[in-house]
Amino acid sequence: MQNLRKRTPLYHRHLEAGARMVPFAGFEMPLHYRGIVEEHRAVRQRAGLFDISHMGEFLIRGPRAGEFVQYVTTNDISRLTDGRAQYSLFCREHGGIVDDLIVYRITASEYLLVVNAANIAKDLAYLIEHNSMGADLVDISEETALLALQGPASAAILRRLLADPDPEQIPYYHFRKLTGGRFLGCRRALISATGYTGEPGFELYMEAERAPAVWDALLEAGQDLGLVPCGLGARDTLRLEMGYCLYGNEISEDTHPYEAGLGWVVKLEKGPFVGREALQRIRQSPPSRRLVGFRLQQRAIPRSGYAITDAEGRRIGQVTSGSHSPILEVGIGMGYVETAFAEPGSQIWIAIRDRLVPAEVVKPPFIERRP
Amino acid sequence: MHIPQELRYTREHEWIRLEADGTAVVGITDFAQSELGDIVFVELKPVGTELEQNAVFGTVEAVKTVSELYLPVAGQIIAHNEAVIQDPALINRDPYGAGWLIRIQPRDPAQIEGLLSAEEYQSMIGVR
């Protein structure tokens, strides 16, 4: 069978806009349109529009939907009310991370789970395996489009297309469900004040057929405010400047939440959930390695897989993500290091080709946080 | 895609121009810079380094990728383009002009004749 790459509903918009397309998680996605640095700065200073329709969406419904979501995720959904969202994890019984996700509580008996594109099939299998409650589980990834409008001008742009509710009035990690065409003719839209850039902004879910019209309307509404289409390249450098984990880089089935600095989304006291016993055990012994952020002290760029060493060149860890920071204009990265080197201010070295480049451990975000 | 007639090219997307004084200037092509995207870092072997043909003389890094630079002909590095080290985006803006990388003293200028012509380079990268 031919292994065809999937396309989002905006594929032709990307080609028309001159995007450089790259394979990502089985999809053909835009890497950049005008350039990663320019798009990155647009998001920090004005606004950017991303097509992230490759992401996976599952609907969980039924009288035991909440009980099921509580059992398969590490965070505590009893803290959610209708219209609120939460960052969370799926973990294996041994504590390894299956995926990171956002849980939306639409009602007490309906939840939306948004997962990484590369993990859709694996996550679905994980959910089915643990669904002894018999909750309705529907994969709506194919028919759902997702756009991210990110940057300080986002609310002003969205307000031009949506009077009620006022986008400015949706607090961070809250959302509104708008049905029956209330948002640009969409039958079902969900406007969520979330994102992966560190800037104020929105993630907009809608049926796939409406995505091109919504994309066009947003770009037109935001043109005079400097809105530009942005690709996955800028999405990655923006999240890295904030120190956000990327599944497959910082976190995987071989990492657990505590060493990754994600202990804050594991609520051991909430009751039974998959991985709880292992995570309780892991938490009691201090981790042997920790995920840290670091900033190079000489001009160079760290990359995923490079060794992290001490002054003598002894290997103490490995880079998980690295790039040039378009805002700081220095090399920045994240990686696991032995716990003794994990304190902010620690001196480490990155092995880049034939030399050791000095770097300082810093606590992300690398730039000032604004939302 | 701009491919000046008067230059010679490598399969690894470097160009070289022989000057009247017998030295030669080396850079990367318009195609290469466009494939790489925003170039944000350039690292070059020190001035004075003697290298064989096709030896690595440095690296260019775009936001997402690292690429090695291969010397089109054997020779000694006699100068760096300091401006491009300070502002690597010059390579994106003007790959055949202000974005040049190094000046070399070729050991055997005849080696340049063995490199790809503009037409050959064009057909190698295909019509774009």
Side-chain angles (χ1 to χ4, degrees):
Chain A
M1 204 175 81
Q2 206 180 355
N3 189 10
L4 289 174
R5 237 170 250 141
K6 289 192 269 187
R7 295 172 175 179
T8 76
L10 294 165
Y11 176 77
H12 292 286
R13 289 292 190 279
H14 302 322
L15 294 190
E16 285 159 23
R20 171 161 296 261
M21 304 298 286
V22 292
F24 182 81
F27 284 80
E28 205 160 335
M29 297 299 291
L31 177 66
H32 62 78
Y33 303 81
R34 298 278 305 278
I36 294 174
V37 172
E38 184 180 328
E39 291 164 24
H40 181 113
R41 290 185 179 143
V43 172
R44 291 274 180 250
Q45 290 155 12
R46 300 181 302 277
L49 185 63
F50 302 77
D51 174 19
I52 49 171
S53 301
H54 59 309
M55 302 285 286
E57 293 89 7
F58 305 137
L59 269 182
I60 315 285
R61 285 184 294 216
R64 299 183 73 186
E67 198 185 327
F68 175 52
V69 174
Q70 187 76 321
Y71 182 67
V72 291
T73 61
T74 61
N75 208 335
D76 183 3
I77 66 155
S78 74
R79 298 172 186 214
L80 289 178
T81 51
D82 296 355
R84 293 194 66 164
Q86 180 182 74
Y87 180 64
S88 195
L89 301 170
F90 297 143
C91 280
R92 295 274 177 221
E93 281 84 351
H94 63 70
I97 301 171
V98 176
D99 203 359
D100 62 342
L101 71 151
I102 297 182
V103 176
Y104 291 87
R105 176 170 147 157
I106 297 169
T107 67
S109 59
E110 185 176 19
Y111 294 80
L112 174 69
L113 311 185
V114 180
V115 304
N116 285 296
N119 292 339
I120 293 173
K122 178 179 83 164
D123 291 346
L124 209 48
Y126 166 87
L127 291 172
I128 291 167
E129 181 191 340
H130 295 291
N131 188 8
S132 55
M133 293 86 175
D136 276 354
L137 165 56
V138 192
D139 177 4
I140 58 165
S141 305
E142 292 270 336
E143 62 259 37
T144 306
L146 173 53
L147 308 185
L149 173 66
Q150 300 280 299
S154 297
I157 293 165
L158 192 55
R159 188 186 274 145
R160 291 174 174 179
L161 301 172
L162 179 67
D164 178 34
D166 179 355
E168 196 86 66
Q169 300 304 315
I170 307 176
Y172 193 51
Y173 266 80
H174 284 62
F175 68 96
R176 299 292 162 80
K177 189 176 166 185
L178 301 174
T179 53
R182 284 174 64 206
F183 178 63
L184 296 174
C186 297
R187 285 194 310 279
R188 292 164 55 93
L190 199 146
I191 312 285
S192 164
T194 48
Y196 195 44
T197 63
E199 295 301 320
F202 301 90
E203 291 178 310
L204 313 169
Y205 300 80
M206 71 213 72
E207 64 263 23
E209 310 86 81
R210 289 300 299 161
V214 173
W215 176 265
D216 293 345
L218 283 164
L219 284 177
E220 198 188 321
Q223 197 176 19
D224 63 318
L225 292 172
L227 177 65
V228 295
C230 295
L232 294 187
R235 184 169 160 84
D236 190 47
T237 52
L238 287 158
R239 71 95 195 165
L240 181 61
E241 273 183 349
M242 297 309 292
Y244 295 156
C245 289
L246 172 63
Y247 195 89
N249 285 40
E250 283 69 40
I251 51 179
S252 70
E253 304 226 356
D254 299 322
T255 60
H256 61 71
Y258 295 108
E259 62 189 2
L262 295 176
W264 62 278
V265 288
V266 180
K267 302 292 160 51
L268 293 171
E269 71 289 357
K270 73 170 180 171
F273 63 93
V274 184
R276 185 191 185 196
E277 287 72 29
L279 290 168
Q280 254 162 348
R281 235 181 3 258
I282 290 166
R283 196 190 179 192
Q284 274 157 19
S285 50
S288 59
R289 59 175 193 171
R290 280 202 64 95
L291 183 66
V292 298
F294 60 84
R295 205 180 144 132
L296 298 194
Q297 293 160 318
Q298 289 173 6
R299 288 188 65 174
I301 302 175
R303 304 283 180 186
S304 170
Y306 287 2
I308 302 176
T309 77
D310 66 8
E312 280 73 50
R314 182 181 68 88
R315 190 186 180 95
I316 56 161
Q318 185 166 312
V319 177
T320 52
S321 292
S323 184
H324 166 82
S325 160
I327 299 300
L328 302 172
E329 300 192 308
V330 299
I332 59 170
M334 291 163 72
Y336 283 97
V337 295
E338 292 175 4
T339 313
F341 296 87
E343 279 306 305
S346 301
Q347 184 70 53
I348 59 173
W349 283 262
I350 313 298
I352 301 181
R353 292 181 283 279
D354 50 2
R355 65 194 178 111
L356 294 181
V357 178
E360 184 190 6
V361 172
V362 297
K363 189 174 159 55
F366 292 94
I367 61 161
E368 205 180 312
R369 192 190 288 267
R370 275 184 288 188
Chain B
M1 202 57 61
H2 185 40
I3 305 176
Q5 279 298 320
E6 66 277 17
L7 305 181
R8 290 298 180 125
Y9 300 88
T10 69
R11 298 194 164 275
E12 287 77 32
H13 311 288
E14 289 85 13
W15 57 261
I16 186 166
R17 183 178 68 230
L18 189 61
E19 307 269 81
D21 63 0
T23 66
V25 175
V26 177
I28 64 168
T29 64
D30 192 20
F31 175 74
Q33 72 76 23
S34 144
E35 288 290 305
L36 288 167
D38 293 326
I39 296 168
V40 291
F41 183 63
V42 178
E43 197 167 30
L44 301 169
K45 291 265 163 78
V47 170
T49 307
E50 189 78 50
L51 292 167
E52 295 304 315
Q53 189 173 26
N54 301 323
V56 173
F57 71 89
T59 51
V60 285
E61 301 205 33
V63 178
K64 299 292 283 182
T65 51
V66 191
S67 301
E68 297 199 308
L69 299 164
Y70 299 96
L71 199 62
V73 298
Q76 186 180 36
I77 300 176
I78 55 175
H80 290 160
N81 180 357
E82 295 298 333
V84 97
I85 292 169
Q86 289 312 309
D87 180 13
L90 278 176
I91 302 169
N92 294 115
R93 291 200 293 272
D94 188 9
Y96 301 112
W100 65 276
L101 293 168
I102 56 169
R103 183 179 290 273
I104 63 167
Q105 185 66 60
R107 194 182 304 155
D108 174 12
Q111 273 183 342
I112 296 176
E113 295 307 309
L115 299 172
L116 302 177
S117 66
E119 290 74 22
E120 288 164 335
Y121 181 66
Q122 166 80 67
S123 75
M124 191 200 92
I125 62 174
V127 179
R128 300 204 183 223

